[in-house]
Amino acid sequence: MRYDQIIYFVKQGEDEYDYSTGNYVTTEPIKDEAWANVSDMGTQRQTLVFGALKQGALTIRIQNKHEQPFDYIEYGGTPYNVATTRTFRHDQAFEVSEQL
């Protein structure tokens, strides 16, 4: 199995108060890069996880484990919501679908 695709675990920026302007400013999102194996999710797996077929459903596998909190995964410039996570001994798998 090749881990040849780059994905990003994205933690959205938080609102911080700027004392000089008196406005709230959103900080930049934090992106953690990881190499992954990305594949389409099969039809049977989609109906099991989502209850129906979804456009843009993927299975993403990474080596080791990602333990920092994140809001979504970005792959190819597209944000994906995580439906399920499976953690194994030496890797981790995410079942994801496109954010709409």
Side-chain angles (χ1 to χ4, degrees), residues 42-55:
T43 305
Q44 290 179 340
R45 187 80 180 151
Q46 284 185 37
T47 54
L48 180 67
V49 173
F50 302 115
L53 297 178
K54 283 201 167 200
Q55 188 81 16

Side-chain angles (χ1 to χ4, degrees), residues 2-7 34-38 75:
R2 290 188 177 164
Y3 296 87
D4 58 349
Q5 303 292 320
I6 294 178
I7 63 165
W35 288 94
N37 173 275
V38 180
Y75 169 66

Side-chain angles (χ1 to χ4, degrees), residues 6-26:
I6 294 178
I7 63 165
Y8 297 97
F9 293 98
V10 181
K11 176 74 174 158
Q12 291 184 354
E14 298 178 0
D15 289 337
E16 294 180 353
Y17 185 73
D18 186 1
Y19 291 100
S20 61
T21 63
N23 295 325
Y24 282 92
V25 178
T26 304

Side-chain angles (χ1 to χ4, degrees), residues 24-73:
Y24 282 92
V25 178
T26 304
T27 60
E28 291 292 319
I30 299 168
K31 293 184 177 185
D32 291 332
E33 182 180 291
W35 288 94
N37 173 275
V38 180
S39 60
D40 287 331
M41 191 184 302
T43 305
Q44 290 179 340
R45 187 80 180 151
Q46 284 185 37
T47 54
L48 180 67
V49 173
F50 302 115
L53 297 178
K54 283 201 167 200
Q55 188 81 16
L58 301 172
T59 300
I60 298 175
R61 296 173 193 86
I62 61 169
Q63 290 179 327
N64 300 321
K65 296 170 184 71
H66 184 80
E67 296 176 350
Q68 278 71 21
F70 63 94
D71 294 319
Y72 60 91
I73 292 176

